Amino acid sequence: APPVDERKPSIDDAYERLRRELGARDESFAPVEPKTGVEIKPTEPTRQVERGGAKLSLDDYALILKHSGTIDAFGDGGQSRLDELLAEGQRAMHQGNSFVAEKRFEVAMTMKPGDPRCKAGMLHCQIGANLAGSAAITLRSLLSSHPEMIDVRYGEQAVPPRARIERAMATTRERIARSASPVDDGLLLAYLGHLTGDRAAIQEGLSHVKGKPQDETLRQLLEKIWLAPDATPGIEPAAASAP
């Protein structure tokens, strides 16, 4: 067997180490299957993460996390009760029925705690209901526990209507103006900017994500992914209709 290069941690190990760097809580979670075949190429470090002699920079992590995968539906399309709940919650959220959507996602999260699909669905439900405070907490948990979700794009049916996203942006800016420590609200504003392709909102929001080491790490990582020259909005544009 060829010798193992101990300087290159596995993709699974890289995700686990990054979760710790981002301050993820120990919880039961179902990680999204990491993209296979991604080579970790050492780059000039912005900030080094070291363990057992192996080093990964934030540039390395950003390379691993950039994939632009798309979620059109939170369920897998199966016949399980979890899939039914996720589909019902998504449909209610997109129709603007936040109360029904929240109940469906709550039950789904109880059935499968830590599942990133359930958590992302709840996040979008809270955004649609203009529950900025709750959405900010859910977003922090989602990105720290599942950094592979950072570069995910969503089909139009998997997000609230555009008007509700814009209302959430206005509410989040009001919360930032009133807060002495708007780290999580800033993160939410940046996420809403990422969804809508508003680079100014991303920059504005990330300017508030600072202080603790995990905040600095998260801000630099999001800058490298959401503000990269080739970054695309988090909402997948609808396909053009045939003439």
Side-chain angles (χ1 to χ4, degrees):
V4 176
D5 187 352
E6 295 183 354
R7 295 172 300 175
K8 288 186 178 182
S10 69
I11 297 297
D12 289 341
D13 187 46
Y15 273 107
E16 180 59 30
R17 289 162 58 188
L18 180 56
R19 289 181 67 248
R20 290 196 300 269
E21 283 289 306
L22 297 177
R25 297 179 179 178
D26 291 333
E27 61 177 18
S28 172
F29 73 100
V32 170
E33 183 66 23
K35 187 176 181 181
T36 58
V38 178
E39 181 182 0
I40 303 175
K41 299 179 180 179
T43 56
E44 187 64 27
T46 303
R47 178 171 181 266
Q48 294 288 353
V49 180
E50 185 171 355
R51 172 184 158 198
K55 295 181 178 180
L56 283 177
S57 71
L58 288 183
D59 288 325
D60 294 326
Y61 282 132
L63 177 64
I64 295 169
L65 296 177
K66 289 180 68 174
H67 54 74
S68 295
T70 301
I71 292 179
D72 292 309
F74 292 113
D76 290 332
Q79 301 301 314
S80 70
R81 181 55 181 154
L82 179 64
D83 283 322
E84 290 177 356
L85 287 166
L86 291 173
E88 292 169 4
Q90 176 176 326
R91 184 165 52 251
M93 174 205 59
H94 189 71
Q95 293 172 348
N97 193 337
S98 300
F99 178 79
V100 172
E102 183 179 13
K103 294 302 179 184
R104 298 299 185 273
F105 286 122
E106 280 181 351
V107 176
M109 291 180 70
T110 301
M111 292 180 63
K112 197 168 184 181
D115 188 300
R117 298 171 303 156
C118 302
K119 193 170 288 187
M122 176 60 79
L123 168 63
H124 289 181
C125 171
Q126 292 166 339
I127 289 172
N130 204 23
L131 300 173
S134 298
I137 295 172
T138 302
L139 175 62
R140 165 74 75 162
S141 176
L142 176 65
L143 298 188
S144 60
S145 297
H146 297 280
E148 69 273 19
M149 298 293 284
I150 288 174
D151 198 36
V152 167
R153 303 176 74 190
Y154 295 91
E156 289 190 344
Q157 297 298 314
V159 295
R162 178 65 179 248
R164 291 185 176 240
I165 297 177
E166 292 175 350
R167 183 183 64 175
M169 292 181 75
T171 299
T172 303
R173 284 190 169 102
E174 292 172 0
R175 288 175 55 87
I176 289 173
R178 298 194 305 265
S179 176
S181 180
V183 176
D184 286 349
D185 289 314
L187 179 60
L188 178 59
L189 179 58
Y191 180 76
L192 296 172
H194 165 62
L195 282 182
T196 58
D198 187 338
R199 291 178 64 88
I202 297 174
Q203 293 171 325
E204 178 187 352
L206 291 181
S207 70
H208 299 288
V209 182
K210 56 187 178 182
K212 297 178 181 179
Q214 58 263 39
D215 297 332
E216 299 290 341
T217 298
L218 182 57
R219 186 194 72 250
Q220 293 180 48
L221 191 58
L222 295 179
E223 287 173 343
K224 292 178 181 296
I225 297 175
W226 289 353
L227 293 174
D230 60 346
T232 55
I235 300 177
E236 182 76 22
S241 300

